[in-house]
Amino acid sequence: MLAGLAATGPSTAGTPLPTGLRLTEFANGFSGLTGIYAPNDSTTRLFAIEQSGRVKIIQGGSTLATPFLRLCSAAGGDCFVPPGGFTSGGERGLLGLAFHPQFASNRQVFVHYSDAQGDTAIGRVFASAGNPNVADTATFDRLMEVSQDFSNHNGGQLNFGPDGYLYIALGDGGSGNDPCSRAQTLDPAMLCNGSSNDGRLGCPSNSSCGPATRGPSRALLGKMLRIDVDNITPPGSNRLCAAAANGSAGYAVPADNPYASSGPGCAEVWLSGLRNPWRFSFDRDTDDMLIGDVGQDAHEEIDLLPASSTGGENFGWRCREGLFANPSGSIATSAPVCNAPPAFVEPIMDVPQSGGVCSITGGYRYRGPAQTLHGAYFFGDYCQGRILVGFDEGSSWSYTTWTPFVGNLRTFGEGRNGEVYAGSDNTIFLISGYATADIVHEHGFEDSVVP
């Protein structure tokens, strides 16, 4: 029998918690859980990924013994060493997964991982034609590599948008206060390269940001990317910043990306001004994008990009942290880009770092069968380990803290019917209302706590 917790948390705003809110243990036994995903096919499977490189499948209420995929740094057993290698630990490892919109027919799965050098890699692999519960590693190819400055702030989420393109969330390259000014640097010619800087962006005059030979892909850091995985870019001159030396790439960019044909930015960029967008999602009803961007020392934030956006928005980091000018020191505020800023987009929710809050984990708006939860946005905090519930009040958003403690809250997931899951280091929980019998029976377990 599975454990269940009723919602008893106090509100931090004017909106009460939804009626009948429940948290039920769904599956456990994981280690370093980083993602929960439902494939867009006819099955009721859930895929759970672990930072160490494993992709596991939950089916019929049980976790299958054989992983779908296991990325490793060295071959052996069921390990697969991807192109460029693999590393995990700290904030590196297997960080995201996405199913192609036509996964049911083309079997394509995409992963966001750290290669042997600690750089970001985006790979594609096909599910086996003979066994859909294992990957055909012979088909694995690396579509993109982005150089990282430091070991932290890698972002990690992958999502296909309603437009069929792949969106990739990248952090600002790491350290603290974005010392290399990646999030506000669009033009790769203006990248901070240690002592060679002209000072325009307030870069440090040392080698901490790496030599120019690290390449233009660092201009993708602190950004949301948007790429077309169904086409490739042939060799030649283009505006891609993560292409091979001859200009070719295993992906293309949509023609309507904001910098696809002109402007200061790399063609892959959709949004800028992000610090560490660890988790983001698309609202399956409205197509809006909701981003949980981890804060520095004072404020966490949830950003919203409406479905009507044509890209190019700047969410303000390192000049802004939450709803405020970055309070963390002159390294962030002295740069001219902050003194004469563009129109920064403010977050819809600012969560102060108080009471143990330290690192926001973005989630999903509930669009499942429990009508009392419909439209509520579930997100949380890694350190405090509590789930928060956001509400669209029309002209503004508010949020309420939900009491249940789930340990280090690492990720959220969305089921095929709009149900929402929360994941700690080793456990997946189902968020539900009273009207959950269809979900409970669908996944092959019974829960006597739900009336």
Side-chain angles (χ1 to χ4, degrees):
M1 204 61 65
L2 302 174
L5 295 171
T8 58
S11 175
T12 57
T15 305
L17 288 162
T19 302
L21 186 58
R22 293 273 176 172
L23 190 68
T24 303
E25 184 177 304
F26 177 75
N28 58 33
F30 304 99
S31 178
L33 188 71
T34 50
I36 307 163
Y37 308 93
N40 47 328
D41 60 13
S42 60
T43 71
T44 60
R45 298 176 297 172
L46 277 183
F47 284 57
I49 66 173
E50 297 177 331
Q51 186 175 354
S52 62
R54 288 182 177 86
V55 180
K56 297 182 175 179
I57 295 177
I58 306 162
Q59 189 171 34
S62 300
T63 302
L64 302 186
T66 301
F68 175 79
L69 176 68
R70 183 184 175 195
L71 301 182
C72 299
S73 58
D78 62 355
C79 278
F80 171 71
V81 181
F86 176 75
T87 190
S88 66
E91 295 185 17
R92 292 168 169 166
L94 179 57
L95 306 179
L97 180 146
F99 297 96
H100 191 281
Q102 281 77 54
F103 170 73
S105 58
N106 68 20
R107 312 191 318 277
Q108 293 183 27
V109 181
F110 296 79
V111 289
H112 182 301
Y113 65 98
S114 304
D115 69 13
Q117 302 301 314
D119 293 327
T120 290
I122 306 300
R124 170 170 49 196
V125 68
F126 288 69
S128 171
N131 182 356
N133 286 338
V134 297
D136 180 0
T137 55
T139 67
F140 197 105
D141 66 307
R142 184 161 69 166
L143 300 184
M144 177 185 289
E145 178 186 352
V146 179
S147 295
Q148 292 285 344
D149 295 310
F150 304 95
S151 64
N152 57 335
H153 300 183
N154 298 290
Q157 185 78 30
L158 296 174
N159 270 317
F160 279 92
D163 52 13
Y165 296 124
L166 182 63
Y167 290 75
I168 303 167
L170 294 178
D172 64 8
S175 189
N177 268 313
D178 193 6
C180 303
S181 197
R182 302 304 189 211
Q184 290 299 323
T185 301
L186 289 170
D187 185 352
M190 294 303 299
L191 284 168
C192 296
N193 295 310
S195 60
S196 64
N197 302 310
D198 66 3
R200 179 185 296 189
L201 297 178
C203 303
S205 294
N206 57 51
S207 61
S208 66
C209 295
T213 54
R214 290 288 281 163
S217 69
R218 291 169 298 160
L220 301 176
L221 297 172
K223 315 293 193 307
M224 182 74 69
L225 313 185
R226 178 180 184 246
I227 64 171
D228 175 2
V229 299
D230 294 324
N231 291 285
I232 64 171
T233 301
S237 177
N238 57 55
R239 299 183 55 79
L240 300 182
C241 287
N246 66 359
S248 66
Y251 61 92
V253 294
D256 59 349
N257 269 16
Y259 312 111
S261 58
S262 63
C266 304
E268 299 98 331
V269 170
W270 184 246
L271 309 171
S272 62
L274 298 170
R275 183 177 180 272
N276 190 21
W278 165 239
R279 288 292 172 256
F280 75 95
S281 62
F282 287 96
D283 183 335
R284 63 166 59 192
D285 276 15
T286 67
D287 292 342
D288 296 336
M289 177 189 287
L290 292 123
I291 307 168
D293 197 11
V294 179
Q296 174 72 34
D297 294 320
H299 299 273
E300 307 292 317
E301 67 182 69
I302 298 293
D303 299 312
L304 185 146
L305 187 74
S308 59
S309 168
T310 56
E313 286 85 351
N314 186 330
F315 284 94
W317 176 255
R318 66 182 177 164
C319 306
R320 305 281 291 171
E321 184 185 355
L323 290 168
F324 303 90
N326 182 1
S328 298
S330 60
I331 190 173
T333 58
S334 63
V337 70
C338 296
N339 296 334
F344 294 139
V345 178
E346 298 282 31
I348 58 169
M349 286 179 276
D350 177 302
V351 181
Q353 289 186 358
S354 60
V357 171
C358 82
S359 179
I360 205 161
T361 303
Y364 293 82
R365 289 192 83 177
Y366 184 90
R367 300 300 186 185
Q371 289 303 305
T372 57
L373 309 188
H374 194 75
Y377 175 70
F378 290 93
F379 64 109
D381 180 77
Y382 172 80
C383 293
Q384 192 187 46
R386 302 191 188 281
I387 298 171
L388 288 76
V389 190
F391 305 94
D392 183 356
E393 308 285 2
S395 59
S396 64
W397 284 69
S398 64
Y399 69 90
T400 295
T401 301
W402 184 11
T403 292
F405 174 76
V406 300
N408 292 132
L409 190 56
R410 299 170 65 96
T411 193
F412 286 84
E414 184 179 42
R416 66 171 188 162
N417 295 323
E419 61 270 36
V420 176
Y421 300 88
S424 65
D425 180 77
N426 54 20
T427 305
I428 296 174
F429 300 90
L430 171 67
I431 297 172
S432 63
Y434 288 137
T436 59
D438 52 338
I439 298 174
V440 169
H441 291 295
E442 172 186 307
H443 287 294
F445 63 81
E446 299 289 343
D447 181 3
S448 62
V449 176
V450 179

